[in-house]
Amino acid sequence: MNPAKTLAEKDLEYIWHPCSQMKDYETLPPIVIDHGKGVYLYGEDGKEYIDIVSSWWCNLLGHCNPEINAGIKEQLDRLEHVIFANFTHEGAIRLCEQLTEMIPKGLTKFNFSDNGSAAVECALKMAFQYQYQTGHPERTRFLCLSEGYHGETVGALSVGTLDLYAKLYRPMLIDTVRVPAPDCYRCAYGECRDSCQCQCFEQAEKAFEQYAKEACAMIVEPLLQGSAGMRIYPPLYLQKLRRLCDEYGVLLIADEIATGFGRTGKLFACDHADISPDILCLSKGLTGGYLPMAITVTTDRIYQAFYADYNEGKAFLHSHTYSGNPLGCAAALAVQNIFRQQPILKNAEQRTRYLNRRLSEALEEHPNVGEIRHIGLIHAMELVQNKQTKQPFDPKERMGYQIYQKALDEGLLLRPLGNVLYFNPPLVITEEEIDKAVDRCVTAINQVL
Ligand SMILES: *Cc1c(COP(=O)(O)O)cnc(C)c1O
């Protein structure tokens, strides 16, 4: 190893970064972060970045949050990990107890894993096996929404429908039924998100009529299709879907990995529609963005379908080495305590109004900002070539990526989704920090467009 090399140069010698064309790093080398505090990250050179994307949506309550730090440190000197089959520990038990009060009603059984994709895989297998063990071995397929994203492992990728991530791998994937998702910005029915009756739901009805008999479950990202470009659809759609699933005996899996823990203005996106799924996937915000942990939560009804004498062969033989990791549980418990003791949602609601006003004032009239949409603190700006026709930019121009680069110069981590720029900040962001972030964002946009 050559000691004269910078850390960034050494990084490129060894590291294959996620979701990256590594050749891009020739012009935009990896940024070495030394430490973080609240919404800020600091480079080794001391440069400040506002983490407006919550480091891939997981940082919920700021970097190096003193209370979460303390929770993990305390656990660290007690127990770092223990096999979770037949063994347990206080942190996991207390966490489930607390989560039960927080998550949608009726979800009482918690199956731990260590990342979002794993939580989705677990949900799919659970749904499949549930149907099998309750007299429906013919129900083998999954329904999902177009433009959905549920992670990168083979099962999760199969129920995801973003061609960008999945198309190449199609021959490896399981066959699913795709229901065309609501597309509120470019609504084919000429309706508007805030007032429509979800006419587009007829697409789901059609798909259920044709395929529901062979389907064990439908999986959705409730209200917000994050990776698709922060596409937002009305709660009514979710209510209709809950009813339709019940009607056809199809389980509803809510992937709240991105939307959970206050991101959408309520604790969970399902709360907007006042529904409970049969299976709920949690991850990203669960540990405040500290440690990789995920939970697949389900109902007692589903749990009971697996509960039998061992030799009946009904057990859910699904496991991950790091299931229920005590450090992760300690971080998640600290997050729970913060939610209990501090008015996190109320503050986030005020900040939402403020951010909404600031972004609207700054960018609503911009000729290339087609729509500014938001749910909770999550705000997305869809960049278009033509605002009247909503014609998108050619993806090859990489407008979003160009703005991302400029924003980094300005001290804002604004990693886009294609040509959709978005803010999804830690819920504890202040008005002053919002001001700075909006100013930096506008400067970056104006430099490129
Ligand atoms: C991030 C995400 C996942 C995947 O989680 P990983 O921890 O990255 O595997 C699944 N579903 C949704 C909705 C997500 O946002």
Side-chain angles (χ1 to χ4, degrees):
M1 210 155 56
N2 181 346
K5 282 189 175 173
T6 64
L7 271 180
E9 283 164 346
K10 283 189 204 168
D11 170 284
L12 291 176
E13 235 178 273
Y14 299 106
I15 296 175
W16 193 344
H17 286 272
C19 205
S20 297
Q21 170 48 266
M22 291 308 301
K23 192 163 191 290
D24 280 349
Y25 288 62
E26 286 177 11
T27 46
L28 183 61
I31 295 163
V32 183
I33 293 299
D34 180 74
H35 61 284
K37 186 79 206 144
V39 302
Y40 294 107
L41 293 167
Y42 297 92
E44 52 168 359
D45 56 356
K47 189 173 166 67
E48 163 197 296
Y49 301 90
I50 300 177
D51 186 0
I52 211 69
V53 300
S54 293
S55 279
W56 263 341
W57 321 348
C58 65
N59 189 288
L60 198 64
L61 301 167
H63 292 280
C64 271
N65 182 297
E67 286 148 271
I68 306 175
N69 287 11
I72 297 170
K73 283 176 187 166
E74 202 179 300
Q75 180 62 43
L76 186 59
D77 284 328
R78 190 169 161 196
L79 176 69
E80 81 302 329
H81 189 60
V82 62
I83 177 174
F84 210 47
N86 221 124
F87 284 76
T88 191
H89 57 92
E90 187 186 349
I93 299 161
R94 283 183 39 222
L95 176 61
C96 296
E97 205 172 38
Q98 298 210 357
L99 282 173
T100 307
E101 292 172 20
M102 192 187 208
I103 60 180
K105 281 191 295 289
L107 298 160
T108 52
K109 297 293 180 189
F110 297 73
N111 189 300
F112 284 77
S113 50
D114 48 25
N115 66 79
S117 308
V120 169
E121 300 281 344
C122 174
L124 300 177
K125 286 173 67 182
M126 199 183 268
F128 181 94
Q129 192 171 341
Y130 167 80
Q131 297 286 10
Y132 183 86
Q133 288 174 184
T134 54
H136 292 289
E138 77 287 1
R139 290 185 176 272
T140 57
R141 298 182 77 187
F142 294 93
L143 292 148
C144 52
L145 286 179
S146 65
E147 309 299 315
Y149 179 83
H150 300 287
E152 302 291 349
T153 51
V154 171
L157 208 55
S158 300
V159 289
T161 45
L162 286 174
D163 281 346
L164 176 64
Y165 306 119
K167 195 172 178 189
L168 172 75
Y169 305 106
R170 279 288 157 225
M172 294 172 61
L173 304 183
I174 54 173
D175 178 36
T176 55
V177 179
R178 295 182 182 196
V179 176
D183 184 359
C184 299
Y185 175 46
R186 296 184 174 86
C187 179
Y189 301 79
E191 296 287 338
C192 146
R193 188 187 288 121
D194 302 322
S195 58
C196 79
Q197 292 303 306
C198 296
Q199 284 87 330
C200 61
F201 193 73
E202 65 180 24
Q203 305 275 357
E205 287 166 342
K206 254 189 249 163
F208 270 69
E209 241 165 66
Q210 195 173 352
Y211 297 108
K213 277 199 292 297
E214 45 187 293
C216 51
M218 167 128 194
I219 183 166
V220 294
E221 295 160 271
L223 302 197
L224 175 77
Q225 293 190 292
S227 299
M230 300 295 179
R231 285 167 47 137
I232 300 164
Y233 61 90
L236 179 62
Y237 191 94
L238 209 54
Q239 289 166 342
K240 289 185 178 213
L241 192 60
R242 177 69 275 184
R243 280 199 293 273
L244 196 62
C245 284
D246 286 343
E247 206 176 298
Y248 281 95
V250 170
L251 298 179
L252 179 60
I253 303 170
D255 175 353
E256 291 237 22
I257 290 165
T259 49
F261 302 98
R263 289 293 187 191
T264 66
K266 294 196 188 261
L267 280 172
F268 293 91
C270 286
D271 298 341
H272 290 273
D274 209 15
I275 62 133
S276 286
D278 300 292
I279 303 177
L280 174 71
C281 300
L282 302 174
S283 186
K284 293 196 167 96
L286 177 62
T287 65
Y290 267 66
L291 286 157
M293 189 163 100
I295 312 182
T296 307
V297 199
T298 193
T299 60
D300 196 52
R301 178 169 69 103
I302 291 177
Y303 175 80
Q304 290 302 334
F306 296 72
Y307 199 87
D309 286 332
Y310 182 82
N311 286 333
E312 286 186 42
K314 288 188 170 174
F316 190 42
L317 296 179
H318 177 94
S319 63
H320 290 285
T321 310
Y322 285 100
S323 290
N325 176 260
L327 295 170
C329 289
L333 268 171
V335 169
Q336 289 296 309
N337 284 338
I338 294 171
F339 267 95
R340 269 149 211 266
Q341 287 161 14
Q342 300 171 27
I344 299 293
L345 277 188
K346 206 160 135 260
N347 289 346
E349 194 185 320
Q350 285 166 5
R351 300 295 132 70
T352 297
R353 278 198 295 274
Y354 187 74
L355 174 58
N356 196 256
R357 183 162 64 74
R358 285 295 331 266
L359 277 178
S360 303
E361 282 167 6
L363 290 167
E364 191 130 70
E365 302 300 322
H366 193 288
N368 297 113
V369 176
E371 182 184 50
I372 303 177
R373 49 183 176 259
H374 90 103
I375 182 165
L377 261 176
I378 298 173
H379 281 67
M381 292 149 279
E382 179 153 346
L383 303 175
V384 290
Q385 179 110 53
N386 185 317
K387 198 166 173 137
Q388 274 67 48
T389 62
K390 303 181 181 178
Q391 188 201 342
F393 278 111
D394 181 353
K396 293 212 165 71
E397 288 186 71
R398 302 182 80 190
M399 279 302 165
Y401 184 70
Q402 288 187 53
I403 293 167
Y404 165 63
Q405 285 176 289
K406 294 288 180 206
L408 285 173
D409 293 342
E410 298 299 317
L412 181 68
L413 202 180
L414 187 68
R415 193 180 161 91
L417 295 155
N419 287 328
V420 175
L421 306 173
Y422 66 90
F423 282 28
N424 184 8
L427 301 181
V428 293
I429 193 168
T430 65
E431 291 190 355
E432 197 189 343
E433 289 158 352
I434 287 174
D435 283 338
K436 269 203 217 175
V438 172
D439 290 346
R440 292 174 188 184
C441 173
V442 171
T443 306
I445 289 177
N446 288 338
Q447 281 174 26
V448 175
L449 291 169

